[in-house]
Amino acid sequence: MATPVKVYGPPLSTAVSRVLACLLEKDVDFQLISINLAKGEHKKADFIKIQPFGQVPAFQDENISLFESRAICRYICEKYKEKGNKGLYGTNPLAKASIDQWLEAEGQSFNPPSSALVFQLAFAPRMKLKQDEGLIKQSEAKLAKVLDVYEKRLGETQFLAGDEFSLADLSHLPNTQYLVNATDRGELFTSRENVGRWWGEISSRESWKKVVEMQKSGKEEQRQKLLMMESDAKDEELGGYNSNNMKKARLNSTLAALLDDPVLADVPKKPTLSDVDTLISLELGSAMRISVLKLDGTSFGTCPTPTRFKVFSLTF
Amino acid sequence: MATPVKVYGPPLSTAVSRVLACLLEKDVDFQLISINLAKGEHKKADFIKIQPFGQVPAFQDENISLFESRAICRYICEKYKEKGNKGLYGTNPLAKASIDQWLEAEGQSFNPPSSALVFQLAFAPRMKLKQDEGLIKQSEAKLAKVLDVYEKRLGETQFLAGDEFSLADLSHLPNTQYLVNATDRGELFTSRENVGRWWGEISSRESWKKVVEMQKSGKEEQRQKLLMMESDAKDEELGGYNSNNMKKARLNSTLAALLDDPVLADVPKKPTLSDVDTLISLELGSAMRISVLKLDGTSFGTCPTPTRFKVFSLTF
């Protein structure tokens, strides 16, 4: 039996779940290796060797290490051509070119507004963060325009790249799953006849249903971890927060829920307070990220207000 | 002789020039077809058929139409495997996987901050727009982090994906060309030993030197067009601008310089004034774009101020 390929990172990450869906479609054995972002494992030398940007996922197979979820998916399809779904990346050059085209459309046009909405609508409320209404409106308008193009296309072909389910469709699953099931904007998809039909078809594939199951187990593990952390929590100052136990617990919960998210992967190794502030403005302004930084045993969480971001220290 | 492939769009566009560089590397004959964005040709039914998002470039070859520059490059390399630079997209699966990985790194990590800097540092001053200092600082920091990863990588291999020049390197040419030659931030590249060496090597390839020549001719054509437009210019109201000839000429010049830019491709077909305002806030806030909208013979240009955007009408 061949050695399973290795995937590093949590299934709740959209990029990790993209790779998992591809492996399941291709029926390729894999080993999922947990990366504890809270412990900064993604910034350690061993991990940086296979993922120089210090982000998830990373991937290993025999004599190759790879990063970038869409590149990993392409590799899996090429390497394991004869396994599982043989048409996932096309069986002839024209089909493949069409898949590449719609896979790029996902990465360049669909992903930016949809990941912004996932953060604003699904994560921000759970984190008790003020939502950026302007950004929501703008991202929704952008996504609607992209979905109008998809609606027309999906009236002509059953799937984006043609009449077969492909890597291009698969790559849309992670963000759409959050938008349809964890926000009230699912209608962006379901109100469009062809897009709605398409979402129904691609989301009910066995491969994707298994990924969603893995995400649910991941959440349960995270909850357990959180309870353990909570019981170990030390006294601390929580900046502008009242440090009563309820609020502290909620804050810890929020931050813990974030720890396994890939949006946290992009943080400096030795941040200063001013780095943190700049980083936060940047992340919220340009990509709507919330960063939790670990600095010599101390974590920094970020708590935006309408006008300014407060930075507070937090010890797990 | 085979029919040349067709590329639709101006060489000054970074996405168009990426495709041109690839065609020249692969020694594939092509016909460059001008798309007049000022006349809204990219929004007309014929163009939408081959580029449903109404953006440049679009591409045609025999029985296939494609969009998305990186997908077009992949197609060219696969279809014309035996022509020109045979190793551009790798000659074995491992090399190809490495090229895909670094090509994705360009699209997902390098492109966002570098295209932001190109706009802020190269375009905004020419357009007499106020630069967003915070955004410049943040984009520079992000790009510096990406280039630190590149610096390490390029100390181990001659090019990003290995010891051969590849599509992954090529894809960095358009934005880097602007940053090194049209801004004062070239040091981001040249001050890093390995990145500087790499830039020297990739930018002196014959293919890229030809693209730069095409861009220069494009600029000259644009200047001529501008002079003609200027001589036809009618009296008009220019919102917050004094309507003396100098200012009007400068404004026309600014807008004309923008007309062939792909950042303008993403505008609604029948915008209302409030659409325009929303669009402008969106474009400047999330992707630093300036949009010039053509509405029933009237163009809208955008003139941002620190706190608010003015919208004025302009007739060519």
Side-chain angles (χ1 to χ4, degrees), chain A residues 41-89:
Chain A
E41 286 176 3
H42 56 313
K43 299 292 176 191
K44 290 191 176 154
D46 279 355
F47 189 73
I48 292 290
K49 266 186 209 158
I50 55 172
Q51 216 306 1
F53 293 95
Q55 294 164 347
V56 290
F59 174 88
Q60 284 184 314
D61 180 22
E62 294 177 352
N63 48 357
I64 194 168
S65 292
L66 288 173
F67 52 90
E68 288 291 346
S69 62
R70 296 169 191 87
I72 295 168
C73 289
R74 284 183 166 102
Y75 167 83
I76 293 165
C77 291
E78 295 282 6
K79 170 80 186 288
Y80 298 99
K81 224 171 239 169
E82 299 310 322
K83 280 188 72 85
N85 181 343
K86 296 187 181 66
L88 193 63
Y89 194 21

Side-chain angles (χ1 to χ4, degrees), chain A residues 52-53 63-68 70-71 74-75 78 94 96-97 100-102 104-105 107-109 111 138 142 145-146 149-150 266-268 278 281-283 285-286, chain B residues 52-53 63-68 70-71 74-75 78 94 96-97 100-102 104-105 107-109 111 137-138 142 145-146 149-150 266-268 281-283 285-286:
Chain A
F53 293 95
N63 48 357
I64 194 168
S65 292
L66 288 173
F67 52 90
E68 288 291 346
R70 296 169 191 87
R74 284 183 166 102
Y75 167 83
E78 295 282 6
L94 290 194
K96 203 171 162 190
D100 267 330
Q101 165 184 269
W102 290 101
E104 282 291 327
Q108 299 290 324
S109 298
N111 185 56
Q138 292 154 3
K142 274 204 163 179
K145 278 172 68 179
V146 172
V149 175
Y150 284 20
D266 184 27
V267 293
T278 304
S281 309
L282 165 65
E283 303 294 40
S286 68
Chain B
F53 293 95
N63 49 357
I64 194 166
S65 293
L66 288 173
F67 52 90
E68 288 291 346
R70 295 169 191 88
R74 284 184 166 101
Y75 166 83
E78 294 282 6
L94 289 194
K96 203 171 161 193
D100 267 330
Q101 163 184 272
W102 289 100
E104 281 292 326
Q108 300 289 325
S109 300
N111 186 54
K137 200 179 155 198
Q138 291 154 4
K142 272 203 163 180
K145 276 172 67 180
V146 173
V149 175
Y150 284 21
D266 183 27
V267 294
S281 309
L282 164 65
E283 304 295 39
S286 68

